[in-house]
Amino acid sequence: MSQDQTDQPGGSSYDPSYDPAAEVVDLCRDLIRIDTSNYGDETGPGERKAAEHVAALLDEVGISSELFERDSGRTSVVAQWGGSAPGAGQERGGLLLHGHLDVVPAEPRDWQVDPFAGEIQDGCVWGRGAVDMKDFDAILLSVVRARARAGCVPDRPIVLCFTADEEAGGHHGAQVLVEDHADRLEHCTEAVGEVGGFSTTIRGRRLYLIEAAEKGMAWMRLTARGRAGHGSMINDDNAVTRLAAAVARIGTHEWPVRLTPTMETLLASVAELVGTEATPDNAEQLVEEFGPAARMMGAVIRNTANPTMTQAGYKVNVIPTEATAHVDGRFLPGYEDEFFDTIAELCGAGIERTFLSHQQPWETPYDGDLVAAMTRSLLAEDPGARVAPYLMSGGTDAKHFTKLGMRSYGFAPLRLPADLDFTALFHGVDERVPVDALEFGARVFDRFLEQV
């Protein structure tokens, strides 16, 4: 396509009513109202209802889709779209655009509003999934539906993918697609998903962060075994004592700063805004420039390991045979060996370590046509801003899709108020996204699709 990106979205070849943001708010609210809480086991409602809703929305504009599930109710949607011009996009392959349908649970009594009502209040759409990530699902659907209605189909082959189970590692969702249905994806050479393209404000300047890397995931179960006995007697083989000592060492360990190429690029951009130069020695000071977001950014200049659960015993006067703990470990690209060597040392003797989930990190070079298209699209809507890559502390479905060799990025664009503690809303109480940020995201993503 050849639309001039300085023009209004749509251009002369579009339907006069074309508006990529027209439906985005209502779509987001409707998705929030479908409870897809993922408890990490099989007790939740699953994603089937949301998947069928998305499939119907695509079908309305002439885009057929397929539903895939390995386990009942854990449903993902895949649709093929675009590639209308013979040979177009073949040199780069297809582009995967993916979002997930599940959300983490919410306790209604903790919220100001019903987390599954999709209410609009104070200029925001409130609800579980508003930022993670039914906002991007809605942006993607709004743009695609507007383009399909206007007959504006991308020349490049596009795969639209809405997955199950991302919030528990993607084992029932993206992993199923990669392992069982790779033929639907293998022509894709690049992928774009969540948790990127949002703004942060540093010294009065907006900086948009595009995800170009993720830490690896090591969800570990630690088990200590000892000699059972009466709680009133001396016991030098106490499983609880051994486990507690290991958990304390892990939880208080100070991991050294390690900078990957992605973070070197980001911190150089921050340093320029601050008026200094980035070095490993001032990395932590530069991270503090992110304000409340430093809690996330500080986790991507080092490996981390946080104890999250412990369990032992059944009666106060009985020393148990076994004690267990769970640890959420995250390691930087290139630093896996260092991470596991350190964990083994901190655990010490007599601690067995098994994995609940072990997924590799990834890092994509921050260059090429796709990065240029994301940057141009953002700056067309916010000319005074800056754009830079960052490394994500958590995990997304990209961990699975990169196994197929795709260059991956996170680009769910949102222009956010400087005083909004955005990172605290991920999995947080009173999760919400500004209405104008959703509409901004749809306009930016429409510009992006015009260039891919």
Side-chain angles (χ1 to χ4, degrees):
M1 298 179 189
S2 58
Q3 178 191 345
D4 183 347
Q5 290 303 306
T6 62
D7 293 340
Q8 284 292 107
S12 60
S13 63
Y14 288 71
D15 185 301
S17 63
Y18 178 85
D19 178 2
E23 297 183 297
V24 66
V25 173
D26 287 339
L27 289 171
C28 187
R29 297 178 72 192
D30 288 343
L31 286 168
I32 288 170
R33 290 167 181 152
I34 303 173
D35 183 357
T36 52
S37 297
N38 187 345
Y39 293 87
D41 52 27
E42 299 312 307
T43 62
E47 299 85 3
R48 180 85 191 192
K49 185 176 179 181
E52 291 174 343
H53 176 69
V54 168
L57 289 170
L58 294 174
D59 186 64
E60 279 182 6
V61 293
I63 301 173
S64 61
S65 59
E66 297 177 277
L67 302 185
F68 295 102
E69 58 182 34
R70 182 185 292 169
D71 301 281
S72 179
R74 311 310 305 275
T75 315
S76 299
V77 185
V78 177
Q80 308 291 331
W81 184 54
S84 57
Q90 296 302 314
E91 68 281 358
R92 288 185 295 155
L95 173 63
L96 172 66
L97 304 178
H98 63 96
H100 62 85
L101 297 172
D102 63 321
V103 297
V104 296
E107 176 51 66
R109 65 185 176 185
D110 295 335
W111 287 56
Q112 297 181 50
V113 301
D114 182 342
F116 299 103
E119 291 189 19
I120 294 179
Q121 184 173 297
D122 300 327
C124 294
V125 177
W126 293 58
R128 178 58 85 217
V131 301
D132 188 12
M133 61 162 292
K134 290 178 176 179
D135 58 340
F136 182 56
D137 293 336
I139 287 171
L140 184 53
L141 287 166
S142 183
V143 172
V144 167
R145 280 165 59 86
R147 282 180 165 268
R149 286 188 174 117
C152 184
V153 180
D155 292 335
R156 186 176 184 183
I158 304 286
V159 175
L160 306 173
C161 184
F162 301 85
T163 61
D165 197 41
E166 188 275 345
E167 295 292 1
H171 306 296
H172 295 286
Q175 181 174 324
V176 173
L177 296 177
V178 168
E179 291 180 351
D180 299 347
H181 308 286
D183 58 308
R184 306 302 202 278
L185 308 170
E186 59 191 3
H187 63 290
C188 294
T189 56
E190 295 173 309
V192 170
E194 63 172 325
V195 201
F198 60 91
S199 70
T200 185
T201 302
I202 295 177
R203 306 266 177 124
R205 295 284 299 276
R206 271 193 296 274
L207 175 66
Y208 288 90
L209 304 178
I210 295 174
E211 186 197 42
E214 285 181 10
K215 296 177 82 172
M217 178 189 296
W219 288 351
M220 297 172 286
R221 179 187 291 111
L222 308 184
T223 303
R225 295 181 176 86
R227 186 175 67 251
H230 199 289
S232 68
M233 300 181 186
I234 293 174
N235 189 322
D236 59 3
D237 190 17
N238 189 315
V240 176
T241 302
R242 184 176 301 113
L243 180 75
V247 167
R249 288 191 295 268
I250 291 170
T252 58
H253 181 69
E254 295 186 10
W255 297 85
V257 171
R258 299 283 187 258
L259 298 182
T260 66
T262 295
M263 289 305 294
E264 287 177 343
T265 302
L266 173 60
L267 294 182
S269 295
V270 174
E272 188 175 346
L273 291 173
V274 172
T276 186
E277 293 186 4
T279 69
D281 292 336
N282 69 358
E284 292 182 287
Q285 287 73 35
L286 292 174
V287 163
E288 290 301 317
E289 294 288 339
F290 287 95
R295 71 171 68 89
M296 179 180 76
M297 304 309 295
V300 294
I301 58 172
R302 53 172 57 83
N303 293 327
T304 58
N306 283 305
T308 56
M309 299 167 60
T310 59
Q311 183 175 1
Y314 56 90
K315 195 171 186 291
V316 67
N317 64 341
V318 178
I319 299 171
T321 302
E322 183 176 288
T324 63
H326 290 75
V327 175
D328 185 342
R330 311 284 176 141
F331 48 94
L332 296 166
Y335 294 93
E336 180 177 13
D337 289 345
E338 179 183 74
F339 174 81
F340 285 110
D341 287 347
T342 304
I343 288 293
E345 181 180 345
L346 294 172
C347 283
I351 301 292
E352 175 187 318
R353 187 175 74 244
T354 56
F355 291 110
L356 284 77
S357 183
H358 181 193
Q359 299 185 37
Q360 295 302 310
W362 60 267
E363 189 161 23
T364 299
Y366 187 67
D367 57 24
D369 294 341
L370 208 65
V371 168
M374 289 186 280
T375 302
R376 286 193 298 265
S377 301
L378 284 166
L379 297 183
E381 292 289 333
D382 194 354
R386 294 190 175 217
V387 184
Y390 86 108
L391 192 158
M392 173 65 179
S393 61
T396 73
D397 281 335
K399 280 187 170 57
H400 296 287
F401 295 130
T402 53
K403 295 173 185 176
L404 297 178
M406 301 179 203
R407 287 169 59 101
S408 187
Y409 299 96
F411 184 62
L414 297 170
R415 181 174 58 200
L416 301 168
D419 60 352
L420 180 66
D421 187 358
F422 184 62
T423 58
L425 299 177
F426 285 84
H427 299 188
V429 172
D430 293 335
E431 184 178 351
R432 61 198 182 275
V433 61
V435 167
D436 59 1
L438 279 173
E439 294 170 344
F440 171 88
R443 294 194 302 271
V444 171
F445 209 80
D446 182 60
R447 291 182 181 273
F448 170 69
L449 281 186
E450 187 65 26
Q451 302 173 63
V452 300

